[in-house]
Amino acid sequence: MKVILDLDTGIDDALALAYALAHPNLELIGVTSTYGNVTVEQGVRNTLALLELLGAPEVPVFLGSERPGFRVQPISAFIHGANGLGQVEIPAPRRGPAEATAVDFLVSSFARYGEDLTVIPTGPSTTIAAAMSSSPEFARQARIVMMGGVLTVPGNVSAWAEANVSQDPEASDAVFRQGGNITMVGLDVTLQTLLRANDTARWRRTETAAGRAYAEMADYYIRAYATTSPHLGGCGLHDPLAVAVAADPSLVTVFDTNLKCDTTGPTRGRTIGDETRLADPLKTAHVAIEVDAPRFVATFVDTLEEYFQA
Ligand code: RIB
Ligand code: CA
Protein backbone atom coordinates (compact mmCIF):
# COMPACT_ATOMS: atom_id res chain seq x y z
CA MET A 1 0.00 0.00 0.00
CA LYS A 2 1.31 3.44 -0.91
CA VAL A 3 1.11 6.06 1.82
CA ILE A 4 1.63 9.80 2.21
CA LEU A 5 2.23 11.18 5.71
CA ASP A 6 1.08 14.72 6.56
CA LEU A 7 3.28 15.53 9.55
CA ASP A 8 3.82 18.37 12.04
CA THR A 9 7.14 16.78 12.79
CA GLY A 10 7.42 16.50 16.54
CA ILE A 11 8.54 13.38 18.36
CA ASP A 12 5.60 11.05 17.75
CA ASP A 13 5.46 12.22 14.12
CA ALA A 14 9.13 11.21 13.90
CA LEU A 15 8.17 7.80 15.28
CA ALA A 16 5.38 7.56 12.70
CA LEU A 17 7.84 8.43 9.93
CA ALA A 18 10.22 5.65 10.98
CA TYR A 19 7.35 3.16 11.26
CA ALA A 20 6.04 4.01 7.78
CA LEU A 21 9.52 3.33 6.37
CA ALA A 22 10.02 0.16 8.41
CA HIS A 23 6.57 -1.37 7.94
CA PRO A 24 6.74 -4.30 5.52
CA ASN A 25 3.34 -3.53 3.92
CA LEU A 26 3.78 0.20 3.39
CA GLU A 27 5.56 2.22 0.73
CA LEU A 28 6.10 5.84 1.76
CA ILE A 29 5.84 7.88 -1.47
CA GLY A 30 6.10 11.33 0.09
CA VAL A 31 5.65 13.51 3.16
CA THR A 32 3.63 16.72 3.27
CA SER A 33 4.52 19.14 6.03
CA THR A 34 2.09 20.93 8.22
CA TYR A 35 2.42 23.02 11.39
CA GLY A 36 1.42 22.31 14.98
CA ASN A 37 4.16 20.91 17.19
CA VAL A 38 6.52 23.17 15.20
CA THR A 39 6.29 25.67 12.33
CA VAL A 40 5.98 24.33 8.78
CA GLU A 41 9.62 25.32 8.10
CA GLN A 42 10.90 23.50 11.18
CA GLY A 43 8.71 20.52 10.31
CA VAL A 44 10.21 20.33 6.81
CA ARG A 45 13.71 20.59 8.23
CA ASN A 46 13.01 17.87 10.79
CA THR A 47 11.46 15.54 8.23
CA LEU A 48 14.29 15.97 5.73
CA ALA A 49 16.91 15.41 8.45
CA LEU A 50 15.13 12.32 9.79
CA LEU A 51 14.75 10.80 6.33
CA GLU A 52 18.52 11.07 5.86
CA LEU A 53 19.15 9.60 9.30
CA LEU A 54 16.79 6.74 8.46
CA GLY A 55 18.48 6.00 5.13
CA ALA A 56 15.59 7.23 2.96
CA PRO A 57 16.89 10.48 1.44
CA GLU A 58 14.91 9.88 -1.77
CA VAL A 59 11.46 10.38 -0.21
CA PRO A 60 10.15 13.80 -1.34
CA VAL A 61 8.96 16.36 1.23
CA PHE A 62 6.37 19.02 0.32
CA LEU A 63 5.49 22.31 2.02
CA GLY A 64 1.97 22.73 3.32
CA SER A 65 0.49 26.03 4.38
CA GLU A 66 0.46 27.49 7.87
CA ARG A 67 -2.63 28.95 9.48
CA PRO A 68 -2.26 32.77 9.63
CA GLY A 69 -1.14 33.93 13.05
CA PHE A 70 0.07 30.48 14.10
CA ARG A 71 2.52 30.38 17.01
CA VAL A 72 3.97 27.24 18.56
CA GLN A 73 2.20 26.76 21.88
CA PRO A 74 4.36 26.55 25.05
CA ILE A 75 2.87 23.11 25.81
CA SER A 76 4.03 21.82 22.38
CA ALA A 77 7.55 23.11 23.02
CA PHE A 78 7.47 21.45 26.44
CA ILE A 79 6.32 18.07 25.12
CA HIS A 80 8.37 17.96 21.91
CA GLY A 81 11.25 20.35 22.72
CA ALA A 82 11.87 23.70 21.04
CA ASN A 83 13.18 21.97 17.89
CA GLY A 84 10.31 19.45 17.89
CA LEU A 85 12.71 16.54 18.34
CA GLY A 86 13.33 16.62 22.07
CA GLN A 87 16.38 18.87 21.63
CA VAL A 88 18.18 15.95 19.97
CA GLU A 89 20.57 17.27 17.32
CA ILE A 90 20.04 15.51 13.99
CA PRO A 91 22.59 16.49 11.28
CA ALA A 92 21.24 19.18 8.93
CA PRO A 93 19.63 17.83 5.77
CA ARG A 94 21.56 18.09 2.52
CA ARG A 95 18.51 18.89 0.39
CA GLY A 96 15.45 21.11 0.56
CA PRO A 97 11.75 20.48 -0.01
CA ALA A 98 10.30 19.55 -3.40
CA GLU A 99 9.01 22.33 -5.64
CA ALA A 100 5.37 21.25 -5.87
CA THR A 101 2.98 22.21 -3.09
CA ALA A 102 1.62 19.71 -0.60
CA VAL A 103 -1.90 20.11 -2.02
CA ASP A 104 -0.74 19.43 -5.60
CA PHE A 105 1.18 16.36 -4.47
CA LEU A 106 -1.79 14.96 -2.53
CA VAL A 107 -4.28 15.50 -5.34
CA SER A 108 -1.98 14.27 -8.14
CA SER A 109 -0.95 11.21 -6.13
CA PHE A 110 -4.59 10.27 -5.59
CA ALA A 111 -5.28 10.75 -9.33
CA ARG A 112 -2.38 8.40 -10.04
CA TYR A 113 -2.84 5.68 -7.42
CA GLY A 114 -6.54 5.85 -6.47
CA GLU A 115 -7.51 3.23 -3.88
CA ASP A 116 -3.91 1.98 -3.62
CA LEU A 117 -3.10 5.21 -1.76
CA THR A 118 -3.78 6.04 1.89
CA VAL A 119 -3.14 9.51 3.32
CA ILE A 120 -2.13 9.62 7.00
CA PRO A 121 -2.45 13.10 8.55
CA THR A 122 -0.94 13.41 12.04
CA GLY A 123 -1.23 17.17 12.57
CA PRO A 124 -3.84 19.90 12.04
CA SER A 125 -6.21 19.32 9.08
CA THR A 126 -5.38 22.55 7.20
CA THR A 127 -3.59 20.98 4.22
CA ILE A 128 -5.99 18.02 3.88
CA ALA A 129 -8.97 20.40 3.88
CA ALA A 130 -7.28 22.48 1.16
CA ALA A 131 -6.72 19.35 -0.94
CA MET A 132 -10.39 18.36 -0.50
CA SER A 133 -11.55 21.80 -1.50
CA SER A 134 -9.37 21.74 -4.62
CA SER A 135 -10.47 18.23 -5.71
CA PRO A 136 -13.96 16.79 -5.04
CA GLU A 137 -12.68 13.36 -6.19
CA PHE A 138 -9.93 13.47 -3.59
CA ALA A 139 -12.49 14.49 -0.97
CA ARG A 140 -15.03 11.81 -1.82
CA GLN A 141 -12.74 8.88 -2.50
CA ALA A 142 -9.30 9.22 -0.91
CA ARG A 143 -8.74 6.94 2.08
CA ILE A 144 -7.70 9.10 5.04
CA VAL A 145 -6.49 7.54 8.30
CA MET A 146 -5.96 10.49 10.61
CA MET A 147 -4.53 10.93 14.09
CA GLY A 148 -6.69 13.57 15.69
CA GLY A 149 -9.88 14.14 17.57
CA VAL A 150 -11.51 12.27 20.42
CA LEU A 151 -15.01 10.89 20.91
CA THR A 152 -15.37 8.97 24.18
CA VAL A 153 -12.88 10.54 26.61
CA PRO A 154 -11.82 14.14 27.40
CA GLY A 155 -9.49 16.08 25.14
CA ASN A 156 -5.82 16.83 25.79
CA VAL A 157 -5.86 20.61 25.30
CA SER A 158 -9.29 21.22 26.83
CA ALA A 159 -12.11 19.14 28.23
CA TRP A 160 -13.34 18.65 24.63
CA ALA A 161 -10.54 19.18 22.20
CA GLU A 162 -7.60 17.12 20.98
CA ALA A 163 -4.43 19.05 20.05
CA ASN A 164 -4.39 18.53 16.26
CA VAL A 165 -8.05 19.35 15.77
CA SER A 166 -7.85 22.33 18.13
CA GLN A 167 -5.36 24.09 15.83
CA ASP A 168 -7.85 24.40 12.95
CA PRO A 169 -11.38 23.26 13.85
CA GLU A 170 -12.80 24.74 10.63
CA ALA A 171 -10.46 22.56 8.56
CA SER A 172 -11.31 19.45 10.60
CA ASP A 173 -15.01 20.16 10.20
CA ALA A 174 -14.57 20.51 6.44
CA VAL A 175 -12.65 17.23 6.29
CA PHE A 176 -15.39 15.41 8.25
CA ARG A 177 -18.17 16.88 6.11
CA GLN A 178 -16.50 16.47 2.70
CA GLY A 179 -14.44 13.35 3.23
CA GLY A 180 -15.97 10.08 2.04
CA ASN A 181 -13.62 7.65 3.80
CA ILE A 182 -12.16 8.93 7.07
CA THR A 183 -10.77 6.71 9.81
CA MET A 184 -10.31 8.71 13.00
CA VAL A 185 -7.55 7.38 15.25
CA GLY A 186 -8.04 9.69 18.22
CA LEU A 187 -7.19 9.85 21.91
CA ASP A 188 -9.81 7.14 22.59
CA VAL A 189 -7.24 4.62 21.37
CA THR A 190 -3.87 6.38 21.18
CA LEU A 191 -3.77 6.94 24.94
CA GLN A 192 -4.09 3.18 25.40
CA THR A 193 -0.87 2.57 23.43
CA LEU A 194 2.11 3.53 25.55
CA LEU A 195 5.86 3.50 25.01
CA ARG A 196 8.12 3.07 28.05
CA ALA A 197 11.82 3.52 28.83
CA ASN A 198 12.49 -0.23 28.68
CA ASP A 199 11.29 -0.15 25.04
CA THR A 200 13.54 2.73 24.03
CA ALA A 201 16.49 1.03 25.78
CA ARG A 202 16.26 -1.69 23.12
CA TRP A 203 16.60 0.87 20.34
CA ARG A 204 19.60 2.45 22.11
CA ARG A 205 21.28 -0.95 22.36
CA THR A 206 21.33 -1.23 18.55
CA GLU A 207 24.26 1.25 18.84
CA THR A 208 23.28 2.85 15.54
CA ALA A 209 22.91 6.60 14.93
CA ALA A 210 19.19 6.22 14.23
CA GLY A 211 18.59 3.87 17.17
CA ARG A 212 20.36 6.20 19.58
CA ALA A 213 18.64 9.36 18.27
CA TYR A 214 15.19 7.75 18.38
CA ALA A 215 15.77 6.47 21.92
CA GLU A 216 16.82 9.98 23.03
CA MET A 217 13.82 11.63 21.37
CA ALA A 218 11.34 9.13 22.76
CA ASP A 219 12.83 9.37 26.27
CA TYR A 220 12.33 13.16 26.16
CA TYR A 221 8.68 12.53 25.21
CA ILE A 222 8.28 9.94 27.99
CA ARG A 223 9.68 12.42 30.55
CA ALA A 224 7.23 15.11 29.36
CA TYR A 225 4.34 12.67 29.75
CA ALA A 226 5.55 11.74 33.22
CA THR A 227 4.98 15.42 34.11
CA THR A 228 1.70 16.08 32.29
CA SER A 229 0.04 12.63 32.54
CA PRO A 230 1.77 10.60 35.27
CA HIS A 231 -1.20 8.22 35.52
CA LEU A 232 -0.37 6.78 32.08
CA GLY A 233 3.05 5.32 32.89
CA GLY A 234 4.45 6.07 29.43
CA CYS A 235 3.94 8.30 26.41
CA GLY A 236 1.06 7.99 23.97
CA LEU A 237 1.96 6.51 20.59
CA HIS A 238 -0.52 8.78 18.82
CA ASP A 239 0.90 9.18 15.34
CA PRO A 240 2.50 5.73 14.95
CA LEU A 241 -0.86 4.11 15.75
CA ALA A 242 -2.44 5.87 12.75
CA VAL A 243 0.29 4.39 10.53
CA ALA A 244 -0.33 0.94 12.00
CA VAL A 245 -4.11 1.18 11.51
CA ALA A 246 -3.62 2.29 7.90
CA ALA A 247 -1.67 -0.93 7.29
CA ASP A 248 -3.80 -3.20 9.49
CA PRO A 249 -7.33 -2.00 10.33
CA SER A 250 -7.88 -5.16 12.42
CA LEU A 251 -5.87 -3.51 15.22
CA VAL A 252 -8.90 -1.39 16.12
CA THR A 253 -12.65 -1.67 16.54
CA VAL A 254 -14.46 1.20 14.87
CA PHE A 255 -17.76 2.96 15.38
CA ASP A 256 -19.22 4.12 12.06
CA THR A 257 -20.83 7.55 12.12
CA ASN A 258 -20.87 10.96 10.45
CA LEU A 259 -18.61 13.38 12.25
CA LYS A 260 -18.48 17.12 12.65
CA CYS A 261 -16.18 19.44 14.58
CA ASP A 262 -17.60 22.32 16.61
CA THR A 263 -16.24 25.63 15.34
CA THR A 264 -18.03 28.09 17.62
CA GLY A 265 -18.91 28.45 21.26
CA PRO A 266 -17.26 26.93 24.31
CA THR A 267 -16.92 23.47 22.72
CA ARG A 268 -14.89 24.76 19.74
CA GLY A 269 -12.62 21.90 18.65
CA ARG A 270 -14.92 19.10 19.86
CA THR A 271 -15.25 16.15 17.47
CA ILE A 272 -18.70 14.60 17.72
CA GLY A 273 -21.46 12.97 15.66
CA ASP A 274 -23.25 15.28 13.24
CA GLU A 275 -26.87 15.38 14.38
CA THR A 276 -28.05 16.48 10.92
CA ARG A 277 -26.70 13.25 9.40
CA LEU A 278 -27.60 10.91 12.25
CA ALA A 279 -30.19 8.97 10.22
CA ASP A 280 -28.15 8.98 7.02
CA PRO A 281 -27.46 5.32 6.16
CA LEU A 282 -24.14 6.33 4.60
CA LYS A 283 -21.50 6.72 7.31
CA THR A 284 -18.34 8.46 6.14
CA ALA A 285 -16.29 8.21 9.34
CA HIS A 286 -14.93 5.17 11.16
CA VAL A 287 -13.95 6.15 14.68
CA ALA A 288 -11.49 3.84 16.44
CA ILE A 289 -12.80 3.15 19.95
CA GLU A 290 -10.93 -0.04 20.94
CA VAL A 291 -7.40 -1.12 20.16
CA ASP A 292 -5.30 -4.24 20.58
CA ALA A 293 -2.64 -2.24 22.42
CA PRO A 294 -0.31 -5.13 23.37
CA ARG A 295 -0.13 -6.38 19.76
CA PHE A 296 0.47 -2.91 18.36
CA VAL A 297 3.11 -1.81 20.88
CA ALA A 298 5.06 -5.08 20.68
CA THR A 299 5.06 -5.05 16.87
CA PHE A 300 5.99 -1.37 16.76
CA VAL A 301 8.97 -1.70 19.14
CA ASP A 302 10.23 -4.88 17.43
CA THR A 303 9.87 -3.47 13.93
CA LEU A 304 11.81 -0.29 14.73
CA GLU A 305 14.51 -2.25 16.56
CA GLU A 306 15.01 -4.44 13.47
CA TYR A 307 14.93 -1.41 11.18
CA PHE A 308 17.59 0.45 13.20
CA GLN A 309 19.78 -2.66 13.24
CA ALA A 310 19.59 -3.28 9.49
O1 RIB B 1 -2.90 14.93 20.38
C1 RIB B 1 -1.79 14.24 19.89
C2 RIB B 1 -1.28 14.87 18.62
O2 RIB B 1 -0.84 16.19 18.94
C3 RIB B 1 -0.11 14.17 17.98
O3 RIB B 1 -0.24 14.23 16.58
C4 RIB B 1 1.08 14.97 18.45
O4 RIB B 1 2.15 14.92 17.53
C5 RIB B 1 0.53 16.36 18.60
O5 RIB B 1 0.60 17.04 17.41
CA1 CA C 1 1.58 15.06 15.22
Side-chain angles (χ1 to χ4, degrees):
M1 175 192 304
K2 297 184 192 309
V3 293
I4 297 172
L5 298 180
D6 185 47
L7 304 177
D8 60 327
T9 310
I11 297 172
D12 62 325
D13 302 80
L15 293 167
L17 181 68
Y19 200 38
L21 289 170
H23 200 293
N25 300 340
L26 299 180
E27 179 193 348
L28 181 64
I29 64 165
V31 177
T32 55
S33 275
T34 187
Y35 65 95
N37 296 321
V38 289
T39 62
V40 168
E41 288 72 24
Q42 183 73 41
V44 166
R45 188 261 174 223
N46 290 351
T47 303
L48 288 165
L50 290 166
L51 285 168
E52 288 183 18
L53 176 74
L54 293 164
E58 72 287 353
V59 176
V61 179
F62 300 84
L63 269 166
S65 48
E66 206 158 86
R67 197 176 159 122
F70 168 74
R71 295 276 178 282
V72 176
Q73 296 296 308
I75 187 65
S76 302
F78 175 75
I79 290 177
H80 297 270
N83 72 350
L85 301 179
Q87 300 305 91
V88 176
E89 293 294 332
I90 312 286
R94 278 171 283 194
R95 65 183 174 133
E99 279 182 14
T101 66
V103 167
D104 287 345
F105 179 65
L106 287 162
V107 170
S108 64
S109 297
F110 176 69
R112 183 166 177 195
Y113 297 116
E115 63 185 21
D116 292 337
L117 176 71
T118 296
V119 178
I120 309 174
T122 67
S125 305
T126 311
T127 301
I128 305 303
M132 287 188 171
S133 128
S134 94
S135 166
E137 292 75 28
F138 178 86
R140 275 198 306 272
Q141 295 168 24
R143 179 177 182 241
I144 310 280
V145 180
M146 60 174 279
M147 192 287 133
V150 61
L151 192 66
T152 62
V153 291
N156 58 358
V157 295
S158 75
W160 298 277
E162 181 279 330
N164 289 338
V165 166
S166 76
Q167 298 273 4
D168 194 346
E170 287 77 12
S172 293
D173 193 50
V175 166
F176 292 143
R177 290 179 188 279
Q178 293 172 34
N181 186 2
I182 310 287
T183 299
M184 185 174 109
V185 179
L187 300 177
D188 313 83
V189 283
T190 64
L191 285 176
Q192 299 183 46
T193 59
L194 302 169
L195 189 73
R196 298 182 168 89
N198 59 321
D199 301 315
T200 62
R202 287 174 49 195
W203 298 344
R204 188 175 287 102
R205 282 198 293 271
T206 63
E207 294 187 3
T208 61
R212 274 193 293 267
Y214 267 78
E216 291 302 311
M217 286 189 278
D219 282 350
Y220 188 99
Y221 198 50
I222 290 167
R223 286 194 297 274
Y225 265 74
T227 305
T228 61
S229 314
H231 60 284
L232 290 176
C235 67
L237 287 170
H238 306 286
D239 298 347
L241 182 60
V243 171
V245 170
D248 179 4
S250 78
L251 280 168
V252 292
T253 305
V254 296
F255 169 65
D256 292 342
T257 189
N258 291 307
L259 285 173
K260 68 172 186 177
C261 180
D262 292 346
T263 56
T264 57
T267 59
R268 180 173 158 79
R270 175 175 66 161
T271 46
I272 195 162
D274 176 3
E275 72 279 15
T276 68
R277 293 186 289 160
L278 197 55
D280 191 332
L282 177 69
K283 311 296 185 199
T284 58
H286 318 291
V287 181
I289 50 170
E290 290 295 340
V291 59
D292 186 343
R295 177 158 74 94
F296 162 64
V297 175
T299 308
F300 172 72
V301 174
D302 290 352
T303 303
L304 285 201
E305 182 182 32
E306 283 165 28
Y307 188 73
F308 296 144
Q309 258 159 357

